Amino acid sequence: SAVISQKPSRDICQRGTSLTIQCQVDSQVTMMFWYRQQPGQSLTLIATANQGSEATYESGFVIDKFPISRPNLTFSTLTVSNMSPEDSSIYLCSVVDPTANYGYTFGSGTRLTVV
Amino acid sequence: AQSVTQPDIHITVSEGASLELRCNYSYGATPYLFWYVQSPGQGLQLLLKYFSGDTLVQGIKGFEAEFKRSQSSFNLRKPSVHWSDAAEYFCAVGASNMLTFGGGTRLMVKP
């Protein structure tokens, strides 16, 4: 299956600052997804990122807070802007993986703590 | 819109015992269904998926799941649990190129 490298794996940030999370895939993929997993909770889709177009955000998530870039078919970034303690979560990227018979493969996640 | 319910938040089983984790979904068409496992501090690993065909699906680590359309269920099973199976398990339904996850079931294994 596709291998997804996500950086950083964890970070502790001051409130009011921003953090950019990188997601690198070892093969070209059309769609990439960003999820949030709040402490003790399930995963919620933030947005879908297609190369060459604006990301599509789910209800409750806005571009100003979570800007996403998708410059090519193997890379994407998610920025968490103007952070508050409520943004403390695990952020995961995911792809539809043709090499895994179109299962969804996930990165190992970025554990963010905002203090 | 699709939804997934995992009725059991926590389950504790003895090592060597059988396991069944329940998953019920709501979706208007034939769903794509997935089970993922998340160990502490780790990302998600795909255990198995159902797209079509045989309703009994075999996965990795000795897991299997059965799709029952009449019950809108996709329960995960394992005949003999190992201590290393202790983790969080998520059922998900795929539709419109997105995954919707259930709330998860935390599995604890007693020695």
Side-chain angles (χ1 to χ4, degrees), chain A residues 33 35 37 42 100-102 104, chain B residues 36 38 49 51 97 99 102:
Chain A
F33 308 87
Y35 287 83
Q37 185 178 24
S42 186
N101 197 19
Y102 297 94
Y104 291 74
Chain B
Y36 286 87
Q38 185 179 37
K49 59 185 180 294
F51 286 176
N97 287 316
L99 285 181

Side-chain angles (χ1 to χ4, degrees), chain A residues 74-90:
Chain A
T74 63
F75 187 78
S76 178
T77 66
L78 169 76
T79 298
V80 186
S81 304
N82 188 26
M83 288 183 285
S84 67
E86 292 71 34
D87 294 319
S88 297
S89 297
I90 300 173

